[in-house]
Amino acid sequence: MTNEYKKGGTGILVKIAFRNIWRNKRRTAFCFAAVGIAVLFMVFYSSLIEGMTQNINDVVQVYELGHVKVVSAQFEAEREFMPVQYPIEKITIGDDGNETFISDWRKLAEKIYQIDGVRAVLPRIRSMATLQESTIKHATLWGIDIEKEMAANNFNLANRDDGLLEGRWPVDANEGAVGRVFAQRSGLSIGDRIPLRTISANFSERFWSPVITGIFNFDYIKIDESYIIVDFDRLQRLLVLEDGTQSLVIYADDARQSSAIAAAVKNLLGENSHVMDWRENFWVAILRVFEPIYTLMFLVFLIVASFLIINTVTMIIHERIKEIGMMGCLGMRRSEIVKVFFFESLFLAAFGALAGVFIGGLLTGIGSLYPIRMGDLYGNTFAEMPMGQTIFIAFSPVILFRAWIMGVVIASLFTLIPSLKSAFVEPVEALRR
């Protein structure tokens, strides 16, 4: 054996270890199952968490912040009230020392478009409204440039379309669209009017009765149950904002450019504006904080699964005590004996993890094709979170590879301890047993 080993080197030890794992097929199968189930759990839940994270990111980017959102500093201080009296303004100081205010959102957008990586700059207005002839007493008027918004985003994140169920989007000054849930609860349908009252930028009451021309389903309960979508220009005039806008939502060619674009916009507009990167959203930040916790949880499962391999290797060493003595008598060094048992545990971990990755990849691959209706499972429990009612499990080769590597590394490291025990078996004592 020694001469053969010297010719083949470590390769011979690997061959010996590979043959040894099949000497007790039942025990090997249990080891495969233990590591495989732990890795399967890691793959499935990593894919589920990734799907939920992506859903929250999409909701934040599409409905809330874009990649970068700009409002005035005064608006940010009172944002829970959706004030419309604080439009975005750029303040410049001329050579004569006088301040000049630029509040025309189109001129501001032209300057922002000059920043590298900017794909779209869209104005938006949100205003509270009191409904006068409806079972629903309060709603949010959402003024958007519908044509440009639909070109920039898929508003229904589940079906990847504009989300329109019936009718058409408002194109006339006195038209609006409501969500599916809103229409059901209020008993409204296409052609009905919605008498409402809101407060303008100069604090005067404004009364309006837009006609419902469309019913939408964005699969996002916050908007589906309380928003009335209207034309941006119409709401701008109604609220006496002149050429101003409450907010500008900026979309980048690549979401990873958001930090650089936010810094450039802040430098452009000055201290009177509040610029927010989408990654600063509370829920997006919370998910980043929890990533290490998820990883730690997965490590715990892998460590627990590794104990079965530890026990298996320990049993193998006791069962093959004479065999170890024979190896020593034939000239194998202690380090070489350790390598044989370590390679055995490595094979057990690698094949078990591979089985878990294969089954997990199959399940997540199939699951990624079918949406999970979170609203049906939990009702409106997640209504306060920026998460759509439907999520998709994420199928990612990166998740599969990471799970396999973690399974192999963790299980192998923890079985190194029992493998080292074989180095302390004296050949003579082993042969006497």
Coordinates of all heavy atoms in Angstrom, one line a residue, residues 125-192:
I125 N -47.7 63.7 -7.4 CA -48.4 64.5 -6.3 C -49.3 63.5 -5.6 O -50.1 62.8 -6.2 CB -49.2 65.7 -6.9 CG1 -48.3 66.6 -7.7 CG2 -49.9 66.4 -5.7 CD1 -49.1 67.7 -8.4
R126 N -49.2 63.5 -4.3 CA -50.1 62.8 -3.4 C -50.8 63.8 -2.5 O -50.2 64.6 -1.9 CB -49.4 61.7 -2.5 CG -49.0 60.5 -3.3 CD -48.5 59.5 -2.3 NE -48.2 58.2 -2.9 CZ -47.1 57.8 -3.4 NH1 -46.1 58.6 -3.5 NH2 -47.0 56.6 -4.0
S127 N -52.2 63.7 -2.5 CA -53.0 64.6 -1.7 C -54.1 63.9 -1.0 O -54.7 63.0 -1.6 CB -53.5 65.7 -2.6 OG -54.4 66.6 -1.8
M128 N -54.4 64.2 0.2 CA -55.5 63.6 0.9 C -56.8 64.2 0.4 O -56.9 65.4 0.1 CB -55.4 63.9 2.4 CG -54.2 63.2 3.1 SD -54.2 63.5 4.9 CE -52.8 62.4 5.4
A129 N -57.8 63.3 0.3 CA -59.1 63.8 -0.1 C -60.2 63.2 0.8 O -60.1 62.1 1.3 CB -59.4 63.3 -1.6
T130 N -61.3 64.0 1.0 CA -62.4 63.5 1.7 C -63.5 63.2 0.7 O -63.9 64.1 -0.1 CB -62.9 64.6 2.8 OG1 -61.8 64.8 3.7 CG2 -64.1 64.1 3.5
L131 N -64.1 62.0 0.7 CA -65.1 61.6 -0.2 C -66.5 62.0 0.4 O -66.7 61.7 1.6 CB -65.1 60.1 -0.5 CG -63.7 59.6 -1.0 CD1 -63.8 58.2 -1.4 CD2 -63.2 60.5 -2.1
Q132 N -67.4 62.6 -0.4 CA -68.6 63.1 0.2 C -69.8 62.2 0.0 O -70.8 62.4 0.8 CB -68.9 64.5 -0.5 CG -67.8 65.5 -0.1 CD -68.0 66.8 -0.8 OE1 -68.2 66.9 -2.0 NE2 -68.0 67.9 0.0
E133 N -69.8 61.3 -1.0 CA -71.0 60.5 -1.2 C -70.5 59.0 -1.4 O -70.8 58.4 -2.3 CB -71.7 60.9 -2.4 CG -72.3 62.3 -2.3 CD -73.0 62.8 -3.6 OE1 -73.2 61.9 -4.5 OE2 -73.3 64.0 -3.7
S134 N -69.8 58.5 -0.4 CA -69.2 57.2 -0.5 C -69.1 56.6 0.9 O -69.0 57.3 1.9 CB -67.8 57.3 -1.2 OG -67.2 56.0 -1.1
T135 N -69.2 55.2 0.9 CA -69.0 54.5 2.2 C -67.6 54.6 2.7 O -67.3 54.5 3.8 CB -69.4 53.0 2.0 OG1 -68.6 52.5 0.9 CG2 -70.9 52.9 1.7
I136 N -66.7 54.9 1.7 CA -65.3 55.1 2.1 C -65.1 56.6 2.2 O -65.5 57.4 1.3 CB -64.3 54.6 1.0 CG1 -64.4 53.1 0.9 CG2 -62.9 55.0 1.3 CD1 -63.6 52.5 -0.2
K137 N -64.7 57.1 3.4 CA -64.7 58.5 3.6 C -63.4 59.3 3.3 O -63.4 60.5 3.1 CB -65.0 58.8 5.1 CG -66.3 58.2 5.6 CD -67.5 58.9 4.7 CE -68.8 58.3 5.2 NZ -69.9 58.9 4.3
H138 N -62.3 58.5 3.2 CA -61.0 59.2 2.9 C -60.3 58.4 1.8 O -60.4 57.1 1.7 CB -60.2 59.3 4.1 CG -60.8 60.0 5.2 ND1 -60.8 61.4 5.2 CD2 -61.4 59.6 6.3 CE1 -61.5 61.8 6.3 NE2 -61.9 60.8 7.0
A139 N -59.6 59.1 1.0 CA -58.8 58.5 -0.1 C -57.6 59.3 -0.4 O -57.4 60.5 0.2 CB -59.6 58.3 -1.4
T140 N -56.7 58.8 -1.2 CA -55.5 59.6 -1.6 C -55.5 59.8 -3.1 O -55.7 58.9 -3.9 CB -54.2 58.8 -1.3 OG1 -54.1 58.5 0.1 CG2 -53.0 59.5 -1.7
L141 N -55.5 61.1 -3.5 CA -55.4 61.5 -4.9 C -53.9 61.3 -5.3 O -53.0 61.9 -4.7 CB -55.8 62.9 -5.1 CG -57.3 63.2 -4.9 CD1 -57.6 64.7 -5.0 CD2 -58.2 62.4 -5.9
W142 N -53.7 60.6 -6.4 CA -52.3 60.3 -6.8 C -52.2 60.9 -8.3 O -52.7 60.3 -9.2 CB -52.0 58.8 -6.8 CG -50.5 58.5 -6.9 CD1 -49.5 59.4 -6.6 CD2 -49.9 57.3 -7.4 NE1 -48.3 58.7 -6.8 CE2 -48.5 57.5 -7.3 CE3 -50.4 56.1 -7.8 CZ2 -47.6 56.5 -7.7 CZ3 -49.6 55.1 -8.2 CH2 -48.2 55.3 -8.1
G143 N -51.6 62.0 -8.4 CA -51.4 62.6 -9.7 C -50.1 62.2 -10.3 O -49.0 62.4 -9.8
I144 N -50.2 61.5 -11.5 CA -49.0 61.0 -12.2 C -49.2 61.3 -13.7 O -50.3 61.4 -14.2 CB -48.8 59.5 -11.9 CG1 -50.0 58.7 -12.4 CG2 -48.5 59.2 -10.5 CD1 -49.8 57.2 -12.2
D145 N -48.0 61.3 -14.4 CA -48.0 61.3 -15.8 C -48.2 59.9 -16.3 O -47.2 59.2 -16.4 CB -46.7 61.9 -16.3 CG -46.7 62.2 -17.8 OD1 -47.3 61.4 -18.5 OD2 -46.1 63.1 -18.3
I146 N -49.4 59.5 -16.5 CA -49.8 58.1 -16.7 C -49.0 57.5 -17.9 O -48.4 56.4 -17.7 CB -51.3 57.9 -16.9 CG1 -52.0 58.4 -15.6 CG2 -51.6 56.5 -17.3 CD1 -53.5 58.4 -15.8
E147 N -48.9 58.2 -19.0 CA -48.2 57.6 -20.1 C -46.7 57.3 -19.8 O -46.2 56.2 -20.1 CB -48.3 58.5 -21.3 CG -47.7 58.0 -22.6 CD -47.9 58.9 -23.8 OE1 -48.7 59.9 -23.7 OE2 -47.3 58.7 -24.9
K148 N -46.0 58.3 -19.2 CA -44.6 58.1 -18.9 C -44.4 57.1 -17.8 O -43.4 56.3 -17.8 CB -44.0 59.4 -18.6 CG -43.9 60.4 -19.7 CD -43.2 61.7 -19.3 CE -43.1 62.7 -20.5 NZ -42.5 64.0 -20.1
E149 N -45.3 57.1 -16.8 CA -45.2 56.1 -15.7 C -45.4 54.7 -16.3 O -44.6 53.8 -15.8 CB -46.3 56.4 -14.7 CG -46.1 57.6 -13.9 CD -45.1 57.5 -12.7 OE1 -44.6 56.4 -12.6 OE2 -44.9 58.5 -12.0
M150 N -46.3 54.5 -17.1 CA -46.5 53.1 -17.7 C -45.4 52.7 -18.6 O -45.1 51.5 -18.7 CB -47.8 53.1 -18.4 CG -49.1 53.3 -17.6 SD -49.1 52.2 -16.1 CE -50.4 53.0 -15.2
A151 N -44.7 53.6 -19.2 CA -43.5 53.3 -20.0 C -42.3 52.9 -19.1 O -41.5 52.1 -19.5 CB -43.2 54.5 -20.9
A152 N -42.3 53.5 -17.9 CA -41.1 53.3 -17.0 C -41.3 52.1 -16.2 O -40.3 51.4 -15.8 CB -40.9 54.5 -16.2
N153 N -42.5 51.7 -15.8 CA -42.8 50.6 -14.9 C -43.9 49.7 -15.3 O -44.8 50.1 -16.0 CB -43.1 51.2 -13.5 CG -42.0 52.0 -12.9 OD1 -40.9 51.4 -12.7 ND2 -42.2 53.2 -12.6
N154 N -43.9 48.5 -14.7 CA -45.0 47.6 -14.7 C -45.7 47.8 -13.4 O -45.2 47.4 -12.3 CB -44.6 46.1 -14.9 CG -44.1 45.9 -16.3 OD1 -44.7 46.3 -17.3 ND2 -43.0 45.2 -16.4
F155 N -46.9 48.4 -13.3 CA -47.5 48.7 -12.1 C -48.1 47.4 -11.4 O -48.2 47.4 -10.1 CB -48.6 49.7 -12.3 CG -48.1 51.1 -12.1 CD1 -46.9 51.5 -12.7 CD2 -48.8 52.1 -11.4 CE1 -46.4 52.8 -12.6 CE2 -48.3 53.4 -11.2 CZ -47.1 53.7 -11.8
N156 N -48.5 46.4 -12.1 CA -48.9 45.2 -11.5 C -47.7 44.3 -11.5 O -47.2 43.8 -12.5 CB -50.0 44.5 -12.3 CG -50.5 43.2 -11.5 OD1 -49.8 42.3 -11.4 ND2 -51.8 43.3 -11.2
L157 N -47.1 44.1 -10.3 CA -45.8 43.3 -10.2 C -46.0 41.8 -10.3 O -45.0 41.1 -10.6 CB -45.2 43.6 -8.8 CG -44.9 45.1 -8.5 CD1 -44.3 45.3 -7.1 CD2 -44.0 45.7 -9.5
A158 N -47.2 41.3 -10.1 CA -47.4 39.9 -10.3 C -47.5 39.5 -11.8 O -46.9 38.5 -12.2 CB -48.7 39.5 -9.5
N159 N -48.3 40.3 -12.5 CA -48.6 40.0 -13.9 C -47.6 40.7 -14.9 O -47.6 40.4 -16.1 CB -50.0 40.3 -14.3 CG -51.0 39.5 -13.5 OD1 -50.8 38.4 -13.1 ND2 -52.2 40.1 -13.2
R160 N -46.8 41.6 -14.3 CA -45.9 42.4 -15.1 C -46.6 43.2 -16.2 O -46.2 43.1 -17.4 CB -44.8 41.5 -15.7 CG -44.0 40.8 -14.6 CD -43.2 41.8 -13.7 NE -42.5 41.1 -12.7 CZ -41.8 41.7 -11.7 NH1 -41.7 43.0 -11.7 NH2 -41.2 41.0 -10.8
D161 N -47.7 43.9 -15.9 CA -48.4 44.7 -16.8 C -48.8 46.0 -16.1 O -48.4 46.3 -15.0 CB -49.5 43.9 -17.5 CG -50.6 43.4 -16.5 OD1 -50.6 44.0 -15.3 OD2 -51.3 42.5 -16.7
D162 N -49.7 46.7 -16.8 CA -50.1 48.0 -16.3 C -51.2 47.9 -15.2 O -51.5 48.9 -14.5 CB -50.6 49.0 -17.4 CG -51.8 48.5 -18.1 OD1 -52.3 47.4 -17.7 OD2 -52.3 49.2 -19.0
G163 N -51.7 46.7 -15.0 CA -52.7 46.5 -13.9 C -54.1 46.9 -14.2 O -55.0 46.8 -13.3
L164 N -54.4 47.4 -15.4 CA -55.8 47.8 -15.7 C -56.7 46.6 -15.9 O -56.5 45.8 -16.7 CB -55.8 48.7 -16.9 CG -57.1 49.5 -17.2 CD1 -57.3 50.5 -16.1 CD2 -57.0 50.2 -18.6
L165 N -57.8 46.6 -15.1 CA -58.7 45.5 -15.2 C -59.9 45.8 -16.1 O -60.3 45.0 -16.9 CB -59.3 45.2 -13.8 CG -58.4 44.5 -12.8 CD1 -59.1 44.3 -11.5 CD2 -57.8 43.2 -13.3
E166 N -60.4 47.0 -16.0 CA -61.6 47.4 -16.8 C -61.4 48.9 -17.2 O -60.7 49.7 -16.6 CB -62.9 47.4 -15.9 CG -63.2 46.0 -15.4 CD -64.5 46.1 -14.6 OE1 -65.5 46.8 -15.0 OE2 -64.5 45.4 -13.5
G167 N -62.0 49.2 -18.4 CA -62.1 50.6 -18.8 C -60.7 51.0 -19.4 O -60.0 50.3 -20.0
R168 N -60.4 52.3 -19.1 CA -59.1 52.9 -19.6 C -58.6 53.8 -18.5 O -59.3 54.2 -17.6 CB -59.4 53.6 -20.9 CG -60.4 54.7 -20.7 CD -60.6 55.6 -22.0 NE -61.7 56.5 -21.9 CZ -61.5 57.7 -21.3 NH1 -60.4 58.1 -20.7 NH2 -62.6 58.6 -21.2
W169 N -57.3 54.3 -18.7 CA -56.7 55.2 -17.8 C -57.3 56.6 -18.1 O -57.7 56.9 -19.3 CB -55.2 55.2 -18.0 CG -54.5 54.0 -17.5 CD1 -53.9 53.1 -18.3 CD2 -54.5 53.5 -16.2 NE1 -53.4 52.0 -17.6 CE2 -53.7 52.3 -16.2 CE3 -54.9 54.0 -15.0 CZ2 -53.5 51.5 -15.1 CZ3 -54.6 53.2 -13.8 CH2 -53.9 52.0 -13.9
P170 N -57.4 57.5 -17.1 CA -57.9 58.8 -17.4 C -57.0 59.6 -18.3 O -55.8 59.7 -18.2 CB -57.9 59.4 -16.0 CG -56.9 58.6 -15.2 CD -57.0 57.3 -15.7
V171 N -57.6 60.3 -19.3 CA -56.9 61.1 -20.2 C -57.5 62.5 -20.2 O -56.8 63.5 -20.6 CB -57.0 60.6 -21.7 CG1 -56.2 59.3 -21.8 CG2 -58.4 60.4 -22.1
D172 N -58.7 62.7 -19.7 CA -59.4 64.0 -19.7 C -59.1 64.6 -18.3 O -58.8 63.9 -17.3 CB -60.9 63.9 -20.0 CG -61.6 65.2 -20.0 OD1 -61.4 65.9 -21.1 OD2 -62.2 65.6 -19.0
A173 N -59.3 65.9 -18.2 CA -59.1 66.6 -17.0 C -60.0 66.2 -15.8 O -59.6 66.3 -14.7 CB -59.2 68.1 -17.2
N174 N -61.2 65.7 -16.1 CA -62.1 65.3 -15.1 C -62.4 63.8 -15.0 O -63.5 63.4 -14.8 CB -63.4 66.1 -15.3 CG -63.3 67.6 -15.0 OD1 -62.7 68.0 -14.0 ND2 -63.7 68.4 -16.0
E175 N -61.3 63.1 -15.1 CA -61.4 61.6 -15.0 C -60.4 61.0 -14.0 O -59.4 61.7 -13.6 CB -61.1 61.0 -16.4 CG -62.1 61.4 -17.5 CD -61.7 60.8 -18.9 OE1 -60.5 60.4 -19.0 OE2 -62.6 60.8 -19.7
G176 N -60.7 59.8 -13.5 CA -59.9 59.1 -12.6 C -60.1 57.6 -12.7 O -61.0 57.1 -13.3
A177 N -59.1 56.9 -12.1 CA -59.2 55.5 -12.0 C -59.1 55.1 -10.5 O -58.3 55.7 -9.8 CB -58.1 54.8 -12.8
V178 N -59.8 54.0 -10.1 CA -59.7 53.5 -8.7 C -59.3 52.1 -8.7 O -59.4 51.3 -9.7 CB -61.1 53.7 -8.0 CG1 -61.5 55.2 -8.0 CG2 -62.2 52.9 -8.7
G179 N -58.9 51.6 -7.5 CA -58.4 50.3 -7.3 C -59.6 49.3 -7.2 O -60.7 49.7 -6.9
R180 N -59.3 48.0 -7.5 CA -60.3 47.0 -7.4 C -61.0 46.9 -6.0 O -62.2 46.9 -5.9 CB -59.7 45.6 -7.7 CG -60.6 44.4 -7.5 CD -59.8 43.1 -7.8 NE -58.7 43.0 -6.9 CZ -58.7 42.5 -5.7 NH1 -59.9 42.1 -5.2 NH2 -57.6 42.5 -4.9
V181 N -60.2 46.9 -5.0 CA -60.7 46.9 -3.6 C -61.5 48.1 -3.3 O -62.6 48.0 -2.7 CB -59.5 46.7 -2.6 CG1 -60.1 46.7 -1.2 CG2 -58.7 45.5 -2.9
F182 N -61.0 49.3 -3.7 CA -61.7 50.5 -3.5 C -63.1 50.5 -4.2 O -64.1 50.8 -3.6 CB -60.9 51.7 -4.1 CG -61.5 53.0 -3.9 CD1 -61.0 53.9 -2.9 CD2 -62.6 53.5 -4.6 CE1 -61.5 55.1 -2.7 CE2 -63.1 54.8 -4.4 CZ -62.6 55.6 -3.4
A183 N -63.2 50.0 -5.4 CA -64.4 49.9 -6.2 C -65.4 49.0 -5.5 O -66.6 49.3 -5.4 CB -64.2 49.5 -7.6
Q184 N -64.9 47.8 -5.0 CA -65.8 46.8 -4.4 C -66.4 47.4 -3.1 O -67.6 47.2 -2.8 CB -65.0 45.6 -4.1 CG -64.7 44.8 -5.4 CD -63.8 43.5 -5.0 OE1 -63.3 43.4 -3.9 NE2 -63.7 42.7 -6.0
R185 N -65.5 48.0 -2.3 CA -66.0 48.5 -0.9 C -67.0 49.7 -1.1 O -67.8 49.8 -0.2 CB -64.8 48.9 -0.1 CG -64.0 47.7 0.3 CD -62.8 48.1 1.2 NE -62.0 46.9 1.6 CZ -60.8 47.0 2.3 NH1 -60.4 48.2 2.6 NH2 -60.2 45.9 2.6
S186 N -66.8 50.5 -2.1 CA -67.6 51.7 -2.2 C -68.8 51.5 -3.1 O -69.7 52.3 -3.2 CB -66.7 52.9 -2.8 OG -66.2 52.5 -4.0
G187 N -68.8 50.3 -3.9 CA -69.9 50.0 -4.8 C -69.9 50.9 -6.0 O -70.9 51.0 -6.7
L188 N -68.7 51.4 -6.4 CA -68.6 52.3 -7.6 C -68.2 51.4 -8.8 O -67.6 50.4 -8.7 CB -67.5 53.3 -7.3 CG -67.8 54.4 -6.2 CD1 -66.6 55.3 -6.0 CD2 -69.0 55.2 -6.6
S189 N -68.6 51.9 -9.9 CA -68.2 51.2 -11.2 C -67.9 52.3 -12.2 O -68.0 53.5 -12.0 CB -69.3 50.4 -11.7 OG -70.5 51.1 -11.9
I190 N -67.4 51.8 -13.4 CA -67.1 52.8 -14.5 C -68.2 53.6 -14.9 O -69.4 53.1 -15.0 CB -66.5 52.0 -15.7 CG1 -65.2 51.3 -15.3 CG2 -66.3 52.9 -16.9 CD1 -64.6 50.5 -16.4
G191 N -68.0 54.9 -15.0 CA -69.0 55.9 -15.4 C -69.6 56.7 -14.2 O -70.2 57.7 -14.4
D192 N -69.3 56.1 -13.0 CA -69.8 56.8 -11.8 C -68.9 58.0 -11.5 O -67.7 58.0 -11.9 CB -69.8 55.9 -10.5 CG -70.9 54.8 -10.7 OD1 -71.8 55.0 -11.5 OD2 -70.7 53.8 -10.0

